[in-house]
Amino acid sequence: MPDTIPVKLKRLPHGHGLDLPAYATGGAAGMDVVAAENIVLRPGSRHAVGTGFAVAIPPGYEIQVRPRSGLALKHGISVPNAPGTIDSDYRGELKVILVNLSDDNFPIQRGDRIAQLVLAPVTLAAWDEVEDLDATARGEGGFGSTGGHGSL
Ligand SMILES: O=c1ccn([C@H]2C[C@H](O)[C@@H](COP(=O)(O)OP(=O)(O)OP(=O)(O)O)O2)c(=O)[nH]1
């Protein structure tokens, strides 16, 4: 079993009675998180869905907000900013931005599992500004420079 990291969580008034984010299986990487509100997501629309809680993530970590594959595949419900970033110094309500990519209304009930949260370590970069970068075989090639999507 991986180590667990304590993360402080504060329920907000409208979050009382809801399930806390939880790992659905022993090997799950993400905790399923539930909606704290009822809403109908119309085709093509987006909404920042409240979860009813705020967190204090330890320094050196972030929480990533990721879509659930079942909702994406069956209903076209995704997280347009995936993975959403919850910073360790953020103290507001954790929200899940959802987008409805289907042609049908998608009703969300309070308590429905809408996304998953992954606690992840953060590595900070320190820029080292230089005049020249080391040469590589790729060079400036990118954005399809190695060919299309056919096999190599
Ligand atoms: O899916 C998300 C993404 C962000 N946040 C919260 C936590 C995060 O720490 C804060 C800021 O997010 P981000 O840095 O992605 O937003 P921004 O558009 O750059 O806004 P800001 O200028 O407030 O940083 O908003 C959420 O609750 N859910």
Side-chain angles (χ1 to χ4, degrees), residues 18-95:
L18 291 173
D19 291 334
L20 292 184
Y23 298 100
T25 66
M31 297 169 276
D32 288 340
V33 60
V34 306
E37 57 185 293
N38 300 314
I39 183 183
V40 176
L41 212 52
R42 306 212 175 280
S45 71
R46 302 179 295 278
H47 185 73
V49 183
T51 61
F53 65 89
V55 292
I57 303 166
Y61 291 87
E62 61 159 335
I63 285 177
Q64 299 177 355
V65 184
R66 301 191 193 172
R68 296 186 67 211
S69 61
L71 289 181
L73 180 63
K74 294 176 191 159
H75 302 286
I77 300 301
S78 192
V79 173
N81 58 326
T85 304
I86 311 299
D87 300 290
S88 66
D89 55 355
Y90 177 69
R91 296 293 178 269
E93 180 178 14
L94 194 155
K95 295 193 175 186

Side-chain angles (χ1 to χ4, degrees), residues 127-152:
W127 295 121
D128 177 11
E129 190 173 354
V130 295
E131 290 298 324
D132 296 297
L133 301 173
D134 58 306
T136 66
R138 170 182 289 276
E140 296 183 15
F143 312 100
S145 66
T146 63
H149 60 280
S151 60
L152 281 174

